[in-house]
Amino acid sequence: MAGSKRSSLHGQWSSRWAFVLAATGSAVGLGNIWKFPYITGENGGGAFVLVYLICIACIGIPIMMAEILIGRRGRRSPINTMRVLAREGHHHPAWQYLGWIGVLAGFLILSYYSVIAGWAMAYVFRAAGGMFSGATGEQIGALFTGLISDPERLLAWHTIFMVMTMIVVSRGVQSGLEKAVRFLMPALFLILVMLVGYAMSTGSFTAGIAFLFTPDFSKLTPAAVLIAMGHAFFTLSLGMGAIMVYGSYLPENASITQTSVIIALADTLVALMAGMAIFPIVFAHGLEPGAGPGLIFQTLPIAFGQMPGGAFFGTLFFVLLVFAAWTSAISLIEPAVAWLVENHGMTRVLASAWAGVITWVMGLGTIFSFNLWAEAKLFGKTFFDLLDFATANVILPLGGLFIALFATWTLSRKVTMEELGLQGAGYQLWYILTRYVAPLAVIFIFLNVTGLLRFG
Ligand code: PFF
């Protein structure tokens, strides 16, 4: 059935919108609200943000289109999609390893993602219990340290989050997910608008905005460029098959180009709003922009502690953050679960249980990174730091690079043109970005950071 259209064993999204919602649910998560502000703070602000935005536009969107089209063409889990498409085109079977690397990345990322989502869950109860009201920056900081230095509490939240994730995954990502995201996204957006409104009242709004949007290129190290690019992959869920597997459930008539642009815009908007809410608070309270992974947990509670109705809005915010993390977590493990169902004849429930247990155990490493193993470092990084660096800044960009190469050097132009539904200049633009610009940019940034090629 070479080149023919097929359907997915796991079903299909009910409509194009269902896909947009699910893929946006995957993209918008801890990456936007927790990670983007703290890495922006650590890497000096404006110039970093600019590189990140350029990466989203020139690397992220074209690779997202490539990933979705490969998924829809293959209609299987990423491992099998790559295997089948390579075989149909008489290409090397080694392409299937791209799927394997994605599955590995999914486990690695989810193992720490779940721990951080656990922090957000703990904060739901702190907010609801009024613990932030009137608290000083120092008291809020102490609350955060108290949480992360207690492995048992972190383990409890990690366990609860993993169980929640695997329950949804075991039911199939289509049912339930669509509805959750439909309400979640607008609600999250509204509460971010409110937080930006609060940030305007802190007296440091201009300082915060200047930090985010005024590029100071002297602060832009090669490592910062790598982190900005890695984050573009991470935040759009690219390079590991999550968007590919969602693409495999995409109806035939949906426009891949339009949906990719919508998803990328929504994702970027959420990240920028989070930055605009957080940095004014950082400056107003004399906090450190480079405070690291605790940044949002040390800043936003101050805002909730001072605004009228703060306990209510704080609770709502952390509930929404947990939801956003949930809809992303589901997509992280879907490639592995789809493969277990296809190749091992497992039910979704059993496949989810296995995947969940493996991830849960791996999560212990991240939990201990913040307490028992805090001093155990390799290259100056804790286990969590290493995991985050290896996945976001190495594996995802590499995965994305090969996805781009596969879509434009091995698949025929006829196939990609047909899937994308693009012609003329639009198609050419995608083709050039995906075939040359994105791969060369990734290689260049890798070489630059390893010192093999020094630029700037
Ligand atoms: N995009 C998610 C976020 O920004 O939180 C994280 C993520 C989900 C990364 C799915 C990769 C992935 F495949």
Side-chain angles (χ1 to χ4, degrees):
M1 53 185 264
S4 61
K5 309 270 184 189
R6 43 172 86 84
S7 58
S8 169
L9 166 76
H10 313 276
Q12 242 186 43
W13 303 110
S14 56
S15 68
R16 175 171 85 101
W17 271 109
F19 169 77
V20 171
L21 288 171
T24 309
S26 167
V28 175
L30 295 173
N32 306 63
I33 293 170
W34 160 73
K35 193 171 179 194
F36 172 74
Y38 99 73
I39 57 176
T40 299
E42 283 179 339
N43 291 285
F48 176 86
V49 173
L50 186 63
V51 176
Y52 156 78
L53 292 175
I54 295 173
C55 289
I56 293 279
C58 300
I59 305 179
I61 295 179
I63 293 187
M64 178 176 280
M65 291 166 65
E67 216 178 303
I68 299 174
L69 86 83
I70 294 172
R72 188 164 72 179
R73 197 74 186 177
R75 293 266 187 233
R76 293 176 170 81
S77 70
I79 296 177
N80 289 328
T81 283
M82 293 307 297
R83 192 171 47 75
V84 168
L85 293 184
R87 193 174 57 206
E88 273 178 12
H90 307 289
H91 299 293
H92 202 282
W95 279 109
Q96 65 179 294
Y97 293 118
L98 193 51
W100 282 105
I101 294 171
V103 166
L104 174 73
F107 278 114
L108 294 175
I109 297 176
L110 184 55
S111 78
Y112 74 79
Y113 205 85
S114 163
V115 175
I116 312 293
W119 298 358
M121 292 175 89
Y123 270 63
V124 169
F125 293 90
R126 290 166 173 221
M131 282 168 93
F132 307 144
S133 106
T136 62
E138 256 167 43
Q139 288 164 332
I140 299 277
L143 268 180
F144 178 68
T145 319
L147 173 68
I148 64 166
S149 52
D150 182 347
E152 282 171 21
R153 251 192 298 170
L154 295 187
L155 184 65
W157 289 118
H158 167 56
T159 309
I160 295 174
F161 187 79
M162 279 309 304
V163 170
M164 277 168 50
T165 301
M166 298 337 284
I167 287 176
V168 176
V169 174
S170 68
R171 293 183 168 191
V173 290
Q174 288 94 335
S175 55
L177 188 63
E178 298 181 27
K179 279 187 219 109
V181 181
R182 193 165 300 175
F183 129 88
L184 162 79
M185 288 298 148
L188 189 63
F189 186 77
L190 280 184
I191 205 151
L192 280 172
V193 171
M194 211 187 72
L195 282 170
V196 174
Y198 172 83
M200 286 179 178
S201 73
T202 57
S204 297
F205 192 65
T206 346
I209 296 298
F211 180 78
L212 266 178
F213 296 113
T214 316
D216 172 357
F217 290 99
S218 68
K219 294 196 179 137
L220 198 63
T221 59
V225 175
L226 176 69
I227 295 170
M229 175 186 71
H231 189 65
F233 282 97
F234 184 87
T235 193
L236 294 179
S237 307
L238 297 179
M240 55 146 283
I243 289 293
M244 193 187 290
V245 80
Y246 276 16
S248 75
Y249 312 141
L250 182 63
E252 214 51 67
N253 54 4
S255 157
I256 292 180
T257 311
Q258 264 179 25
T259 49
S260 301
V261 171
I262 295 174
I263 296 162
L265 283 179
D267 186 77
T268 308
L269 189 65
V270 172
L272 294 179
M273 301 259 300
M276 288 178 354
I278 286 161
F279 286 107
I281 303 176
V282 169
F283 294 118
H285 291 269
L287 301 168
E288 183 48 57
L295 188 66
I296 66 158
F297 297 97
Q298 287 160 321
T299 49
L300 293 182
I302 300 181
F304 294 127
Q306 293 183 352
M307 65 173 67
F312 172 76
F313 290 117
T315 311
L316 189 60
F317 172 80
F318 285 108
V319 166
L320 291 172
L321 185 58
V322 172
F323 263 102
W326 199 6
T327 54
S328 301
I330 290 160
S331 71
L332 279 162
I333 208 67
E334 178 66 16
V337 170
W339 177 78
L340 285 172
V341 171
E342 285 168 11
N343 286 44
H344 292 273
M346 285 190 194
T347 59
R348 277 195 77 93
V349 174
L350 190 63
S352 307
W354 269 112
V357 167
I358 296 170
T359 319
W360 180 82
V361 172
M362 291 180 1
L364 299 180
T366 293
I367 290 179
F368 296 149
S369 301
F370 294 101
N371 37 68
L372 306 179
W373 297 351
E375 297 313 314
K377 291 189 178 162
L378 197 65
F379 310 118
K381 289 182 187 305
T382 61
F383 180 84
F384 159 72
D385 293 332
L386 282 175
L387 205 56
D388 173 40
F389 189 87
T391 49
N393 303 337
V394 182
I395 305 180
L396 297 186
L398 268 183
L401 166 68
F402 283 104
I403 286 168
L405 296 179
F406 185 77
T408 49
W409 291 85
T410 59
L411 290 183
S412 71
R413 284 171 77 107
K414 180 175 162 291
V415 165
T416 49
M417 220 176 242
E418 195 177 293
E419 286 295 338
L420 293 178
L422 282 177
Q423 285 157 355
Y427 180 80
Q428 276 310 326
L429 178 64
W430 172 79
Y431 193 72
I432 292 169
L433 286 174
T434 315
R435 188 174 163 101
Y436 304 109
V437 177
L440 285 173
V442 172
I443 293 171
F444 179 77
I445 292 171
F446 274 147
L447 292 179
N448 194 38
V449 82
T450 50
L452 292 172
L453 185 82
R454 265 281 178 251
F455 173 79

